Structure formats: structure tokens, C-alpha cells
Amino acid sequence: MGLDFGGARNLSADSGFMDDNIITTTIDKVVNWGRKNSLWPMPFGTACCAIEMMATLASKFDLSRFGSEAIRFSPRQSDLLIVSGRISIKMMPVLKRIYDQMPDPKWVISMGACASCGGVFDTYTLIQGVDQFIPVDVYIPGCPPRPEDLIDAVMQVQQKIAGGEVPKGIEVAV
Amino acid sequence: MNEEQSVAESPLVLQKLQENYADALLAHEETRDGVAVVVGKDDAYALLEYLKTEAELGYTYLVDVTAVDNSQLESELVKYDYARFMVVYHLYSYQGCCRLRVKVPVHERDLRVRSVTSLWRGANWLERETYDMFGIAFEGHPDLRRILMPDDFDGHPLRKDYPLRGRGERESFNFETQNV
Ligand code: SF4
């Protein structure tokens, strides 16, 4: 099948019974494989970085190659929040609300200098890094980051999912 | 419109204003993009109405309303009896294809200025922004609320005495009281 779920194959190869048709794996691996290849991003574009995000989604860079082209403007249907742009103190409650509305498990990419640390806008109105208020899984530096950087960030999220990593936003009882 | 006409057009405004509003005009100047006049607060509304309705001028388009805080610019302060703010109206005449800036000095002790929303409905949000950023109180405005900053924001951030990094709003803003 060409897919590697990491499970043992052809357990009873000698019998010839399960040769090419059956693979065994764990349910977590299959679920994570599905999740990682069908991320549904919720775009939160508030400034210039969003233009790069649009370029990433459009045909030239084509995020759908990674299974993430199904942009959902409804947070309840998405599992990847891409914060791309400046977030003001008036916008932060909106962003927080959207994050809260997304179903678990959910991942957050903070795209660009502004979302990650305020960028050059060290002013009264701008949040100096959204990670003060929502958990961020992957940061992208740059002003603006190139579409390749965003693709790289999405792939990093994919790696985290494949590795069974728990998103930052989920508190695990120890 | 050729060069000659546009040069001839600008003084027409000045001519007319000097005829009709000689007392109200505190200063005037021909700028690169048109004409700028400074008008006393009490005459501003009448003058703006005249500019809009006078058939030969036709300044029917209010491009912008904003303000300037001159509190740290002594050279400007002395000119107009130490009025801290200057409310600025940008007008455009499609008829003459020319621009006009009307400036109104406003003292800090009396921040009231008559609203021009009755002349241009588009002034609504522009005046709200000027109120939000500078605290100019436009009298007769139908809905003078903050427009950019959150409702519970304290102060007027484009005033020169407002610190660039704010007074801690970035950390202390309220998630609950804001309309999401
Ligand atoms: S990081 Fe740069 S490109 Fe991105 S939103 Fe900020 S200013 Fe714009």
C-alpha cells in the first residue's frame, strides 16, 4: 500500500493469507495519520501576513498538497488556527473566543513577527505576542514570512501530530 | 483641466472667502495641493456650509476630519493664542478639481466644536475617530462614541502626552467587558 503506519506487516506471511491486503497498526496511529493529512485551517488574517497566507493557499504554492486546503471560516469545523497579522487589544478577545470555539485537538501557528511578538509595533494598542493569551504550537519568524515558511510550519504541525505530540492547548492530567 | 485653470481656481476660493468671511479668516496659505485656511471656531460651521453650498465653489466632498496636537510645537502654539489642538477638515471640489484644508484652533479648556454631520453625513465616523484619538467633543453629533479603541479605554492616544507604549493597557485590558 505504500503507507507506513508503523505497525507490523504480514503477521502471518507464511500462511499467505494476509499477504497484501491487511495491515495491522494501532488506532492512534491511524487517527493521527488522518488528522495530519487533513488539517482544516481557520485563517485569522488581520494584516499583511495574511496576503502571504492567501498566496500559500492559492495555486502557486498550493497548500492542498499537504491536505490543508479546506479553509474554514467557521472555527467549529477547524483544527488549525493560523494567526497571521497584528492583533490589537480590541481584537484579542475575538481571537480568544475563536480559539475557544475550535474543537480539540487544535493547533495554533503564530505567523510573522507581529503575531509572535508585536513586531515593530511596540505601541499602546498592540498585543506583544499572542502566546500571552493563547497557546502557540509553531512560530514563524519573518516580516512577512514567505509562503514556504508557512508550508514548513504546517509540516511541523504535521510532524507533531504524527509523533503523537499533545497540542500546547491541552492540559494533560499527570 | 489644464494648468492655467487650476492655478486660477485656487485664488477664487480665497477671494470669495475674503469677501464674505474676512473677519473669520485668521490665516491663509496656498499650498502645493490647494489652499489652506485657518478659521476661528465660532465661524467654522458657517464657513464650511458656505464652501459646500456656494455654487461657484462646490466643495461637496468632505475627505477627512482629523486633528493635530500642537502642544509640543511652540512655533505653532504662539500663532493662535496657545490653542493646543487644530481640527482639520479636508475638502474637495469635483467642480474645480481642487482641494482645500480648513483648520480650526481649539483650546484645551473648551474642546467643543460644532459637528458637521448635518452638512456631510460622512463626517460621522471621521468625527468619532477624532474624538477617540484627541478627545475633541463634537456638538450635535448623533452618536459620539469611540470608534477604534475599546469602549472602556481611558485617554486619547494621539495626544502628545500619551505614552507610545500606553499605560499598561496591553496587559490589563479586559476580556470580559468588551463586546465580541
Ligand atoms: S509581521 Fe510584517 S508582514 Fe506580518 S503582519 Fe506584521 S508587519 Fe505585516
Side-chain angles (χ1 to χ4, degrees):
Chain A
M1 281 178 74
L3 297 172
D4 182 10
F5 292 115
R9 289 185 197 205
N10 301 332
L11 276 186
S12 36
D14 49 337
S15 73
F17 172 63
M18 302 210 287
D19 265 1
D20 285 333
N21 301 321
I22 296 177
I23 52 172
T24 56
T25 179
T26 60
I27 188 78
D28 276 358
K29 286 228 160 72
V30 176
V31 168
N32 283 344
W33 173 79
R35 268 188 190 141
K36 108 182 197 318
N37 290 301
S38 63
L39 283 168
W40 285 25
M42 158 81 216
F44 200 84
T46 48
C48 8
C49 272
I51 306 296
E52 298 297 307
M53 178 175 62
M54 290 172 221
T56 317
L57 294 163
S59 52
K60 188 162 179 186
F61 295 96
D62 199 9
L63 202 57
S64 66
R65 290 179 292 155
F66 307 91
S68 307
E69 82 283 15
I71 287 287
R72 285 295 173 266
F73 287 91
S74 147
R76 294 193 193 275
Q77 298 172 7
S78 7
D79 52 6
L80 173 65
L81 178 62
I82 304 178
V83 186
S84 47
R86 298 176 280 277
I87 304 296
S88 65
I89 56 175
K90 202 174 176 184
M91 190 53 106
M92 195 61 224
V94 180
L95 177 60
K96 176 90 167 81
R97 176 97 161 243
I98 282 175
Y99 174 79
D100 288 343
Q101 284 177 338
M102 289 166 59
D104 277 330
K106 52 193 168 186
W107 288 269
V108 179
I109 292 177
S110 164
M111 179 179 182
C114 289
S116 306
C117 67
V120 295
F121 303 98
D122 189 4
T123 65
Y124 59 92
T125 183
L126 218 79
I127 297 291
Q128 302 293 299
V130 292
D131 54 359
Q132 296 170 57
F133 301 99
I134 58 174
V136 173
D137 292 277
V138 177
Y139 300 84
I140 316 177
C143 175
R146 282 195 55 88
E148 290 91 332
D149 293 324
L150 180 55
I151 292 175
D152 181 52
V154 171
M155 289 172 74
Q156 282 188 37
V157 171
Q158 288 184 331
Q159 276 165 17
K160 287 186 182 219
I161 299 171
E165 210 173 292
V166 180
K168 286 263 171 59
I170 293 184
E171 282 159 31
V172 188
V174 189
Chain B
M1 143 152 277
N2 61 35
E3 191 76 1
E4 221 173 295
Q5 266 174 314
S6 68
V7 172
E9 197 71 38
S10 301
L12 175 70
V13 189
L14 276 183
Q15 256 171 347
K16 286 203 150 261
L17 287 180
Q18 271 157 350
E19 259 169 47
N20 297 291
Y21 289 91
D23 299 342
L25 279 190
L26 302 179
H28 61 80
E29 169 186 26
E30 279 184 51
T31 60
R32 204 162 43 131
D33 60 342
V35 179
V37 295
V38 183
V39 191
K41 193 164 91 172
D42 298 334
D43 307 299
Y45 185 88
L47 186 127
L48 287 164
E49 188 172 23
Y50 172 77
L51 287 167
K52 185 192 172 192
T53 49
E54 167 66 34
E56 277 182 70
L57 298 175
Y59 283 95
T60 48
Y61 177 25
L62 177 70
V63 183
D64 197 9
V65 178
T66 184
V68 181
D69 179 358
N70 282 328
S71 58
Q72 287 168 18
L73 199 62
E74 185 71 19
S75 58
E76 279 296 309
L77 282 177
V78 290
K79 283 193 213 159
Y80 305 105
D81 185 28
Y82 282 85
R84 176 172 176 185
F85 297 102
M86 194 71 108
V87 176
V88 189
Y89 301 85
H90 294 253
L91 306 181
Y92 186 75
S93 163
Y94 282 105
Q95 218 167 298
C97 293
C98 51
R99 295 180 187 278
L100 177 68
R101 231 172 354 262
V102 179
K103 304 193 212 172
V104 182
V106 176
H107 279 95
E108 199 174 3
R109 59 175 183 267
D110 184 12
L111 290 167
R112 288 172 301 164
V113 175
R114 185 163 170 196
S115 165
V116 294
T117 43
S118 45
L119 296 177
W120 292 278
R121 287 184 64 188
N124 189 321
W125 282 17
L126 303 175
E127 289 185 342
R128 276 178 67 184
E129 185 188 351
T130 311
Y131 161 72
D132 193 358
M133 293 291 134
F134 294 94
I136 309 287
F138 290 94
E139 277 187 316
H141 190 288
D143 181 27
L144 197 62
R145 283 179 298 133
R146 285 185 185 279
I147 190 168
L148 295 173
M149 304 313 293
D151 290 338
D152 58 358
F153 194 81
D154 205 17
H156 301 285
L158 282 195
R159 288 187 176 190
K160 291 292 178 203
D161 53 7
Y162 198 87
L164 175 63
R165 296 191 172 89
R167 300 176 178 142
E169 295 89 351
R170 293 191 299 208
E171 290 76 36
S172 66
F173 72 94
N174 194 336
F175 268 110
E176 267 70 48
T177 58
Q178 286 179 35
N179 303 323
V180 172

Short mmCIF file of all heavy atoms in Angstrom, two decimals, chain A residues 47-49 84-86 111-115 120-121 142-145, ligand 1:
data_model
loop_
_atom_site.label_atom_id
_atom_site.label_comp_id
_atom_site.label_asym_id
_atom_site.label_seq_id
_atom_site.Cartn_x
_atom_site.Cartn_y
_atom_site.Cartn_z
N ALA A 47 -3.59 41.32 8.86
CA ALA A 47 -2.69 42.33 8.27
C ALA A 47 -1.94 41.72 7.09
O ALA A 47 -2.37 40.73 6.51
CB ALA A 47 -1.73 42.86 9.31
N CYS A 48 -0.81 42.32 6.79
CA CYS A 48 -0.06 41.98 5.58
C CYS A 48 0.31 40.49 5.51
O CYS A 48 0.34 39.92 4.43
CB CYS A 48 1.18 42.84 5.46
SG CYS A 48 1.54 43.87 6.88
N CYS A 49 0.61 39.86 6.63
CA CYS A 49 0.95 38.44 6.62
C CYS A 49 -0.15 37.61 5.97
O CYS A 49 0.12 36.58 5.38
CB CYS A 49 1.17 37.94 8.04
SG CYS A 49 2.85 38.15 8.61
N SER A 84 -2.28 35.29 11.51
CA SER A 84 -1.34 35.98 10.63
C SER A 84 -1.66 37.46 10.61
O SER A 84 -2.59 37.89 9.96
CB SER A 84 -1.39 35.40 9.22
OG SER A 84 -2.72 35.26 8.81
N GLY A 85 -0.89 38.21 11.37
CA GLY A 85 -1.08 39.66 11.36
C GLY A 85 -1.05 40.24 12.75
O GLY A 85 -0.86 39.54 13.74
N ARG A 86 -1.24 41.56 12.80
CA ARG A 86 -1.22 42.26 14.07
C ARG A 86 -2.51 42.00 14.84
O ARG A 86 -3.58 42.01 14.27
CB ARG A 86 -1.09 43.76 13.84
CG ARG A 86 0.19 44.15 13.14
CD ARG A 86 0.22 45.62 12.86
NE ARG A 86 -0.56 45.95 11.68
CZ ARG A 86 -0.11 45.85 10.45
NH1 ARG A 86 1.11 45.44 10.23
NH2 ARG A 86 -0.85 46.18 9.41
N MET A 111 1.95 33.31 12.90
CA MET A 111 2.68 33.61 11.67
C MET A 111 3.20 35.04 11.68
O MET A 111 2.44 35.98 11.82
CB MET A 111 1.75 33.39 10.47
CG MET A 111 2.39 33.70 9.15
SD MET A 111 1.23 33.40 7.82
CE MET A 111 2.23 33.79 6.40
N GLY A 112 4.49 35.21 11.54
CA GLY A 112 5.06 36.54 11.40
C GLY A 112 5.47 37.18 12.72
O GLY A 112 5.08 36.75 13.80
N ALA A 113 6.27 38.24 12.58
CA ALA A 113 6.80 38.92 13.76
C ALA A 113 5.69 39.53 14.62
O ALA A 113 5.74 39.47 15.84
CB ALA A 113 7.78 40.00 13.32
N CYS A 114 4.68 40.08 13.96
CA CYS A 114 3.65 40.80 14.73
C CYS A 114 2.87 39.86 15.64
O CYS A 114 2.66 40.15 16.81
CB CYS A 114 2.69 41.50 13.78
SG CYS A 114 3.45 42.89 12.99
N ALA A 115 2.40 38.76 15.06
CA ALA A 115 1.62 37.84 15.88
C ALA A 115 2.48 37.24 16.98
O ALA A 115 2.01 36.99 18.09
CB ALA A 115 1.03 36.74 15.00
N VAL A 120 7.47 45.36 14.83
CA VAL A 120 7.96 46.72 15.02
C VAL A 120 6.94 47.58 15.74
O VAL A 120 7.21 48.72 16.08
CB VAL A 120 8.31 47.38 13.66
CG1 VAL A 120 9.46 46.67 13.02
CG2 VAL A 120 7.10 47.41 12.76
N PHE A 121 5.76 47.05 15.97
CA PHE A 121 4.69 47.88 16.53
C PHE A 121 4.65 47.77 18.05
O PHE A 121 3.75 47.15 18.62
CB PHE A 121 3.34 47.49 15.93
CG PHE A 121 3.34 47.60 14.43
CD1 PHE A 121 3.54 46.48 13.64
CD2 PHE A 121 3.17 48.82 13.81
CE1 PHE A 121 3.56 46.58 12.26
CE2 PHE A 121 3.19 48.93 12.44
CZ PHE A 121 3.39 47.80 11.67
N GLY A 142 9.72 36.30 10.61
CA GLY A 142 9.69 36.93 9.30
C GLY A 142 8.68 38.05 9.22
O GLY A 142 7.73 38.09 10.00
N CYS A 143 8.91 38.94 8.30
CA CYS A 143 8.01 40.08 8.16
C CYS A 143 7.93 40.50 6.72
O CYS A 143 8.65 41.36 6.29
CB CYS A 143 8.49 41.24 9.01
SG CYS A 143 7.53 42.74 8.81
N PRO A 144 7.06 39.91 5.93
CA PRO A 144 6.28 38.72 6.26
C PRO A 144 7.08 37.46 5.94
O PRO A 144 8.00 37.50 5.14
CB PRO A 144 5.09 38.83 5.29
CG PRO A 144 5.66 39.50 4.09
CD PRO A 144 6.73 40.43 4.59
N PRO A 145 6.70 36.34 6.54
CA PRO A 145 7.33 35.08 6.16
C PRO A 145 6.91 34.71 4.75
O PRO A 145 5.80 35.02 4.34
CB PRO A 145 6.75 34.07 7.16
CG PRO A 145 6.02 34.87 8.17
CD PRO A 145 5.66 36.17 7.55
S1 SF4 C 1 4.98 40.55 10.56
FE1 SF4 C 1 5.28 42.08 8.94
S2 SF4 C 1 4.09 41.30 7.22
FE2 SF4 C 1 3.37 40.24 9.07
S3 SF4 C 1 1.64 41.44 9.81
FE3 SF4 C 1 3.48 42.19 10.85
S4 SF4 C 1 4.15 43.91 9.60
FE4 SF4 C 1 2.77 42.70 8.35
#
